[in-house]
Amino acid sequence: LVLEEQKMADIAKYAEDIYYSERYSDDEYEYRHVAVPEGLRKYLPNPPRLMTEDEWRGMGVRQSPGWEHYLVHEPEPHVLLFKREKDYQVKYPMGAPSQALHLRKA
């Protein structure tokens, strides 16, 4: 419990220091990278691995729906590389099809 409280305090303290790159794209995906500040790096998986959406959101990373942590850059594991389907928000204004079905049932 104390560790979780410390994590929440650290997220509150360092959330403003999370760096979000501009988006860039190819024919299929849009991409962005997010740099986690020094004060939050201790919460990254060790050894480095891909994180679930719940994990990266749980570290204070805030992004619109559809982003997937798709690559670990070994020399800089604190730089999270994300991708999502190009034009995701236009194609899925209610979220991904599975999310939209869940929302309608609620």
Side-chain angles (χ1 to χ4, degrees), residues 34-51:
V34 175
V36 176
E38 186 71 39
L40 295 177
R41 292 178 190 176
K42 62 186 170 190
Y43 302 113
L44 290 169
N46 192 7
R49 62 169 171 75
L50 295 178
M51 294 175 21

Side-chain angles (χ1 to χ4, degrees), residues 15-89:
E16 295 286 321
D17 296 331
I18 296 173
Y19 170 78
Y20 299 87
S21 76
E22 293 294 321
R23 298 172 187 176
Y24 43 99
S25 63
D26 59 20
D27 292 339
E28 192 173 352
Y29 293 100
E30 66 178 327
Y31 304 90
R32 78 172 340 164
H33 57 275
V34 175
V36 176
E38 186 71 39
L40 295 177
R41 292 178 190 176
K42 62 186 170 190
Y43 302 113
L44 290 169
N46 192 7
R49 62 169 171 75
L50 295 178
M51 294 175 21
T52 67
E53 183 174 352
D54 286 341
E55 288 176 314
W56 54 260
R57 287 192 187 279
M59 288 189 52
V61 175
R62 300 288 173 245
Q63 304 185 90
S64 53
W67 291 101
E68 170 191 356
H69 182 209
Y70 79 100
L71 185 65
V72 173
H73 181 56
E74 290 286 339
E76 297 178 302
H78 65 283
V79 177
L80 310 179
L81 298 150
F82 291 93
K83 72 176 182 179
R84 74 173 172 187
E85 186 178 347
K86 198 169 184 181
D87 301 321
Y88 181 90
Q89 290 180 295

